[in-house]
């Protein structure tokens, strides 16, 4: 961190903060709705920062060697806004803001709507956003966790007399697809089962969309 502070031309003192706690947290695994992190990913962060610092120091050396106006104008500055680190395990997780869906499903499974404070809150519009992500997803493997998240988030956020699931018609169209892969079939049927149990109001729009025939 000392090299980072010097390279971006901060003051000599380190930025305020509990640095030991940060380093400990970076080395601790987390699989939570808002954070997916494996200690092995710390190596990816370390390598990316090392490459970024090496490039910045090279730019500094070129500026100093040029002398004259180049040196007087100041050394190269770090463009932090363009710095990105890729974490493959994190990118593999289905995500709909503000949650990673795998750990969200785990946290919400079995939760009852009336159980206040139990599990992460489902923000307004989240169920509709997951439904839209389902309808837009072309990859069958990635569709399965989306469908699971759709069912549990709807069940966790609606009341028995709540509004119907916003994408029932799309679910019916999914079930009508010929040769639907078994994992997608099971996930779609489970979503329907969960939604019907959570709010009986889903029965009528399901029937009107042709869901009974599809089943």
């Amino acid at each position: 961190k000392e090299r980072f502070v010097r390279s971006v031309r901060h003051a000599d003192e380190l930025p305020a903060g509990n640095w030991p706690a940060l380093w400990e947290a970076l080395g601790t695994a987390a699989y939570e709705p808002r954070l997916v992190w494996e200690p092995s990913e710390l190596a990816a962060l370390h390598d990316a920062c090392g490459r970024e610092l090496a490039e910045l120091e090279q730019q500094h050396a070129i500026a100093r060697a040029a002398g004259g106006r180049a040196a007087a104008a100041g050394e190269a500055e770090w463009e932090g806004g363009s710095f990105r680190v890729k974490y493959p395990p994190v990118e593999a997780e289905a995500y709909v803001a503000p949650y990673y869906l795998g750990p969200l499903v785990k946290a919400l499974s079995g939760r009852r709507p009336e159980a206040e404070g139990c599990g992460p809150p489902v923000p307004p519009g989240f169920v509709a956003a997951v439904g839209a992500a389902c309808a837009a997803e072309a990859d069958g493997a990635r569709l399965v966790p989306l469908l699971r998240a759709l069912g549990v988030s709807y069940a966790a956020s609606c009341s028995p007399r709540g509004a119907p699931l916003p994408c029932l018609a799309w679910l019916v169209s999914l079930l009508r697809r010929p040769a639907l892969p078994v994992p997608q079939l099971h996930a779609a049927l489970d979503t329907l089962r969960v939604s019907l149990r959570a709010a009986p109001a889903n029965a009528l729009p399901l029937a009107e969309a042709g869901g009974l025939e599809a089943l």
Side-chain angles (χ1 to χ4, degrees), residues 16-29:
N18 189 341
W19 290 98
L22 173 62
W23 309 137
E24 181 180 357
L26 287 173
T28 303

Side-chain angles (χ1 to χ4, degrees), residues 2-213:
E2 289 83 359
R3 289 181 64 203
F4 168 77
V5 171
R6 288 198 302 271
S7 66
V8 296
R9 299 163 58 192
H10 282 186
D12 292 336
E13 65 273 10
L14 289 173
N18 189 341
W19 290 98
L22 173 62
W23 309 137
E24 181 180 357
L26 287 173
T28 303
Y31 191 69
E32 303 168 4
R34 291 182 182 269
L35 175 65
V36 174
W37 180 262
E38 291 293 336
S40 60
E41 293 172 306
L42 182 58
L45 176 60
H46 180 275
D47 292 344
C49 289
R51 291 191 298 270
E52 194 77 5
L53 285 170
E55 181 179 347
L56 186 60
E57 290 174 353
Q58 183 181 26
Q59 293 174 3
H60 284 180
I62 293 173
R64 287 192 296 268
R69 292 185 178 180
E75 297 178 344
E77 296 184 358
W78 183 49
E79 298 179 359
S82 62
F83 179 62
R84 296 288 185 273
V85 183
K86 290 187 176 182
Y87 304 105
V90 175
E91 293 179 349
E93 288 283 344
Y95 179 80
V96 174
Y99 294 133
Y100 290 100
L101 301 188
L104 178 68
V105 169
K106 183 177 180 180
L108 291 180
S109 294
R111 165 185 162 179
R112 295 183 178 180
E114 64 271 16
E116 294 293 337
C118 179
V122 179
F126 181 76
V127 174
V130 177
C134 286
E137 183 56 65
D139 185 330
R142 294 183 67 88
L143 178 59
V144 171
L146 285 167
L147 287 167
R148 290 172 179 162
L150 178 65
V152 297
S153 61
Y154 174 75
S157 62
C158 80
S159 64
R161 295 184 179 181
L165 188 68
C167 55
L168 275 175
W170 175 83
L171 272 174
V172 171
S173 69
L174 176 67
L175 290 171
R176 290 181 181 277
R177 292 181 186 177
L180 185 67
V182 172
Q184 295 177 44
L185 174 63
H186 285 177
L189 289 173
D190 191 55
T191 299
L192 286 176
R193 177 185 61 81
V194 169
S195 64
L196 286 168
R197 180 185 297 174
N202 284 293
L204 180 58
L206 176 63
E208 291 176 342
L212 299 182
E213 293 84 351

